[in-house]
Structure formats: structure tokens, C-alpha cells
Amino acid sequence: MSDAYIVGVDMIKFGRFPEKTVPQIGAESALMALDDCGLTIQDMEALYCGNLGQASGMVGQRMLQQIGQTGIPVVNVSNACATGATAFREAWASVKAGLYDCVLAVGVEQMGKGLLGGAGAATGIPKEGLLGSGTMPAVFAEAGMEHTNKYGTTFEQFAKVSVKNHHHSTMNPKAMYQIETPLETVMNAEMISYPNTKLMCSVNVDGSAAAVICSESKAKELGLMSRAVKVRASVLTSDPWQERDLVMPDVNSCTRKAAAAAYEMAGLGPDDIDLIELHDCFATAEILHYENLGLCGDGEAGRLIDDGEVALGGRIPVNVSGGLLSKGHPLGATGIANIYEVTTHLRGEAGERQVEGARIGLTHVIGLGSACGIHILEKT
Amino acid sequence: MSEQPLPVVEYLKVPENGDPYLEGYKCDACGATFLGERSVCSKCGARDQMSTVTLPNSGKLYSYCIVHRSFPGIDVPYISAIVDLDDGTAIKGNLINIEPDPEQIEFGMAVDVVFDDALGRKDKEGNSYLSYFFQPANG
Ligand SMILES: [Zn+2]
């Protein structure tokens, strides 16, 4: 099987674009990714398009109506917050399988403002606030408090994740927000669901990101190897049975399962990774994933954030893009946006926030329901 | 319109004569319990091994959060709690009759399941509902 390489990748600066359509937002990053490698839509043999909000709306085809209707196969993908990573993985798999030599993956989302999750009841009465909360900040607060129950992790330690990621965002011109938030500011912000304050929740934004994936022979033929990044591992998992998962969506076991498979596929371990973009949809979630991805032992995540090991300049920088907390979280785009971030570092093109000497990076997303996508990328 | 309040979820049973109770489905092959009717076990895959069990009305607090912002019309703050019932079944609901303050709430604290009106909520036909809640165990 041929190795697969990212030869072109980009994302738009995330924001709010109510005047645009979903295909228009997706088309922007698709063209940017093509420009990044100097290819055209005529060079693409297939399109894998991730979007959640219009999952039945043929977004990929409508996007090609904006940028070139070449008649290629289009696969529209929906997999909660792992949608973008799933589209990327399908694209990668088609190249690995030898079906195509050059394909395009796009993730795009247009979001409303406000709380996600726990919608009204179709029959009977609404259950929100009656049988607990189904809002996303609450669900992830409960996941964080499970860690508190087991290991004594504090509100302050969770809040430090936001301090770190918001600091990183000040070096990322593509982040929705680029604002320093001292610890007191984070902890004293409006409480949404304890222990997640407003500054510990990711931002609902519109956005898109895209990647061009080539086989090794095609990348060489096109003279694109100098900036190419090799996909060392691509893994997707669903949630294995857990005793509480009917009432507590489990983001841990599907991540652990995906991490183990990804490290095995790459023949690497956590110590080999130079930077990580992980799914910090809420500050509480990031803490869990330090352990889930094997960056430290169980129960040590609080110490990791206290000691600055996961900050830029630390042992294993996490979310130097600013993460979902500051960059924003356009659900279907997020999984490719974090691939853009890691690729940019491996190319040595990340500017002020560059992780020095980065050779290998890992991306992680979680879609509740649940799906986990992990990719390990390597500089060539 | 129903004379009796309706159960808020299918796994809450309201007998004509007798006390309301929570019902689980238990896999006779592996022992896993589930809220809600099913015929195949998602833990071990066994088919047609499910039997109904009455769930205990006591358990321990496993995790929680304090909800300060919810959807319009939902009273806040309230405690959204994950409780492990005494037989190991996990269930989610509101923890009541305790201050919504992390200083007051202890992991592992004993809680009772209590049944009461669903906070005055009615459906389009005007039916009342019976719900379940958790509260700190007495003594
Ligand atoms: Zn079973």
C-alpha cells in the first residue's frame, strides 16, 4: 500500500458569516488548500465533504457547483464533532487503498449562537432541567467532575486550560478570539455549568478547512514532496460499552482505544509526539485527554497543567492554535482545522507560535454519540 | 386528558395501586443493566436474555455539575447528577434538597430516589407528569 501525504491544506479564519451559504464557506477553504499546493479542482479524483448542520443537503456537490463541477465522486460525511476527521480519513483510505492518487477533503459548518444539546421533546414534556441537563457544557462538566471525584482535580486546574489556550491564541491570526485571559478572569466569568465558566466553553463559529491528499508516487510526480506531510496513522473508533454510557456520554474509552491503535499503526508512542491538537470543546475535556492520549499517567493531568508541560515551550505543547476554546469550533470543520495546524508546524511555517523542531504531531477529535478520530502526522 | 399523572420516561413505572418505581432491563447472560426496553445486550451481544428488574431507590452520587445557564424558561441553578444505584445501574437526574454549592456536595454521598410532580410541566393535552429526583439520604 502506498503511503498517503498531505500536500495542500488550509483553513479560513473562523468567524460568523450569516450572509454566506454552507457551500460558499466550504468552497473558500477548498480553493485555499488547492492553492497551497498549486493544484486545481481538475486534479482532484474524489471529494470527501464533512458537514453536520445540512447532513442531508448534498453540501459537497453544492460546493463543487461553486468551484468546478468535474463529475468526480462526492461522499458527504456526518459524524458529530468527528465529522471533519472522518471525511479526511475516508479521503486518506481511498488513497491508501489505491483507488485514487489525489483527492480533496473538506470540513465546513455554519453554526447558530447559543447552547448545544438537550433539545425539546417531540412528545411529552421537556426533560431539560428535570432529569439533569443535556446541554453540552453540563455533559462535559459532569465528565470533568468524574475526574475530580477520582483524582481531586480542581476548578482552578480546569480553568488553567483556558488561560493556556487563550494565551496561545494571541499568536494565531486565524483564531476567532485572540485575547489573553488571566486565571481570575476565567474563574470569575459567567458560570455556565460548574466547573465550566463561559471562558471555558468553546465558541460556536462558522468555518471551513480543507486538505489535498496524494499518494507518494503522485506527490513525487507533481514535485510536491518538499512541503508534504506524511499520514503515519489514521484511526476512527466508536464508543465501546461502558457501565454508565446511557447517562454519561463517554469521551474517554473511545479516545484511549483510538490512541492505542494510532500509536501502534505509527509504530510510535506518546513520547515521540512533538505537539498535539486535541478536542478542548470545554476546558474540563482537555484535562481528561492528557491521560487518554497517554501524555501522563492516570490522575496526573492536573499536575501537567500546573507544571506548564502542555504549554508552548513545555514538554508536549497542546493546542498551540488556541484550541477550540479560542479558535472556535465549527463542528464539521474542526477535524481538518486541527490537521491544518499540526501540518503548519511540521512545515515550520507556524510563525510566532511555532513548536521548534516539530517532526511528529497528533490530532484528536471527539464527536458525542460517540466517535473519536486520531491522526498522527510526520514531517517528510 | 389522563386522570393520573403520566410517567416522565418509560423506565419510570406508575402502577394503578402501589408506589411508583424505576424499572431496568438486566442481561441474564452478563448481568449488565439498562434503562429502557431492549432485547439485545450491548455489552455482550446476547439476544433475548433480558428480564425486567425493579431498580433500588437508593444509591451514591458519582458525578454532577451545577447548571447556571440552560435553555429559556428552565429555572437555574440546579444540580445535574449522575447516581450509581445500589445495584450498579447508573442514572441521571436532578439532585434536590441540597444547596447548589460544590462545598455542600460530596462525591459518594448516599442519595434516595424520590418521586414527585414534574416541576409543574404539562404536555400539549394538559397532562401532568410524574418524575424522579435524587435527594440526600435521611440520616
Ligand atoms: Zn449481556
Side-chain angles (χ1 to χ4, degrees):
Chain A
M1 277 195 297
S2 164
D3 278 316
Y5 291 79
I6 299 166
V7 296
V9 66
D10 214 334
M11 62 178 272
I12 64 169
K13 178 180 159 55
F14 292 169
R16 296 206 172 91
F17 316 112
E19 73 287 0
K20 291 178 183 166
T21 67
V22 171
Q24 283 172 336
I25 295 169
E28 281 184 62
S29 67
L31 292 174
M32 289 160 72
L34 290 168
D35 289 347
D36 183 51
C37 53
L39 297 179
T40 70
I41 194 67
Q42 281 77 19
D43 298 310
M44 300 299 113
E45 295 172 77
L47 166 64
Y48 297 84
C49 182
N51 172 260
L52 214 53
Q54 297 185 4
S56 58
M58 303 296 263
V59 170
Q61 285 85 342
R62 285 159 60 213
M63 194 183 75
L64 290 184
Q65 288 164 13
Q66 307 274 331
I67 64 171
Q69 290 171 256
T70 55
I72 55 173
V74 175
V75 178
N76 290 292
V77 173
S78 168
N79 212 11
C81 301
T83 292
T86 306
F88 180 91
R89 186 170 192 276
E90 291 300 307
W92 165 84
S94 74
V95 170
K96 283 293 279 186
L99 207 53
Y100 309 116
D101 282 309
C102 191
V103 299
L104 179 62
V106 179
V108 56
E109 205 69 52
Q110 192 172 40
M111 313 263 300
K113 284 189 180 183
L115 286 170
L116 296 181
T123 57
I125 54 172
K127 312 298 191 296
E128 178 64 23
L130 177 63
L131 300 179
S133 180
T135 63
M136 288 299 113
V139 166
F140 280 92
E142 287 161 3
M145 289 299 273
E146 179 183 40
H147 201 267
T148 300
N149 182 5
K150 286 181 179 166
Y151 305 116
T153 315
T154 63
F155 173 32
E156 181 174 323
Q157 287 172 324
F158 291 127
K160 282 179 179 174
V161 170
S162 287
V163 176
K164 169 182 72 74
N165 291 358
H166 290 150
H167 170 66
H168 289 161
S169 78
T170 63
M171 295 172 273
N172 183 3
K174 290 195 173 186
M176 169 84 180
Y177 293 118
Q178 296 147 46
I179 303 167
E180 291 280 1
T181 57
L183 184 61
E184 315 78 68
T185 308
V186 172
M187 294 179 75
N188 292 325
E190 179 192 351
M191 185 57 75
I192 304 296
S193 274
Y194 178 90
N196 282 322
T197 69
K198 188 170 185 181
L199 290 175
M200 296 161 71
C201 301
S202 58
V203 194
N204 292 344
V205 297
D206 309 333
S208 72
V212 177
I213 301 174
C214 276
S215 63
E216 182 161 0
S217 58
K218 188 71 174 181
K220 284 179 175 163
E221 177 194 321
L222 294 169
L224 294 172
M225 283 302 277
S226 64
R227 288 175 74 244
V229 162
K230 187 177 184 174
V231 182
R232 284 286 296 267
S234 172
V235 171
L236 184 68
T237 57
S238 61
D239 47 331
W241 184 87
Q242 291 289 307
E243 57 188 336
R244 297 184 186 85
D245 58 20
L246 289 179
V247 294
M248 203 175 179
D250 172 31
V251 298
N252 298 316
S253 50
C254 56
T255 297
R256 286 176 186 236
K257 196 174 167 64
Y263 289 135
E264 188 185 343
M265 188 182 284
L268 298 168
D271 292 343
D272 299 311
I273 308 293
D274 298 312
L275 79 154
I276 290 179
E277 289 285 308
L278 62 73
H279 203 74
D280 60 328
C281 48
F282 296 89
T284 45
E286 179 165 319
I287 290 281
L288 309 178
H289 296 314
Y290 297 158
E291 295 169 16
N292 292 336
L293 296 174
L295 310 188
C296 59
D298 287 351
E300 295 176 358
R303 181 188 58 76
L304 222 58
I305 189 76
D306 282 342
D307 292 353
E309 289 193 31
V310 280
L312 183 60
R315 177 173 66 86
I316 173 69
V318 171
N319 288 333
V320 289
S321 68
L324 282 50
L325 290 170
S326 8
K327 191 168 64 180
H329 182 22
L331 311 182
T334 289
I336 300 182
N338 66 16
I339 286 170
Y340 160 79
E341 179 70 16
V342 167
T343 301
T344 302
H345 286 268
L346 300 181
R347 287 169 161 180
E349 297 174 359
E352 202 187 343
R353 67 184 189 283
Q354 175 70 40
V355 174
E356 287 306 323
R359 292 195 47 78
I360 296 171
L362 182 150
T363 66
H364 161 264
V365 286
I366 281 277
L368 269 203
S370 295
C372 176
I374 290 184
H375 288 92
I376 296 178
L377 308 176
E378 182 184 26
K379 178 192 181 80
T380 50
Chain B
M1 206 172 90
S2 167
E3 298 275 312
Q4 293 287 324
L6 301 170
V8 69
V9 285
E10 54 154 323
Y11 54 86
L12 169 58
K13 300 297 174 188
V14 188
E16 291 255 337
N17 305 301
D19 296 330
Y21 64 95
L22 295 169
E23 183 180 77
Y25 278 73
K26 183 170 185 169
C27 172
D28 294 330
C30 77
T33 54
F34 300 88
L35 299 171
E37 188 177 350
R38 62 168 63 224
S39 63
V40 179
C41 176
S42 68
K43 182 182 183 187
C44 74
R47 300 188 193 186
D48 301 320
Q49 297 282 315
M50 288 289 162
S51 45
T52 57
V53 288
T54 298
L55 297 175
N57 283 336
S58 57
K60 290 191 164 50
L61 180 67
Y62 179 70
S63 189
Y64 71 93
C65 73
I66 304 169
V67 181
H68 291 263
R69 197 206 279 183
S70 185
F71 294 111
I74 307 291
D75 287 338
V76 290
Y78 64 91
I79 304 164
S80 175
I82 309 288
V83 166
D84 290 341
L85 296 176
D86 288 343
D87 71 340
T89 306
I91 183 168
K92 180 165 176 164
N94 283 12
L95 175 60
I96 60 170
N97 296 332
I98 184 170
E99 283 298 305
D101 171 3
E103 298 292 316
Q104 307 295 318
I105 304 166
E106 279 182 48
F107 293 109
M109 65 189 283
V111 299
D112 291 332
V113 180
V114 293
F115 302 95
D116 205 345
D117 179 72
L119 306 176
R121 296 181 190 181
K122 289 183 165 57
D123 65 18
K124 286 196 286 278
E125 286 80 44
N127 292 307
S128 296
Y129 283 77
L130 187 76
S131 190
Y132 66 87
F133 301 87
F134 311 121
Q135 68 176 20
N138 296 319

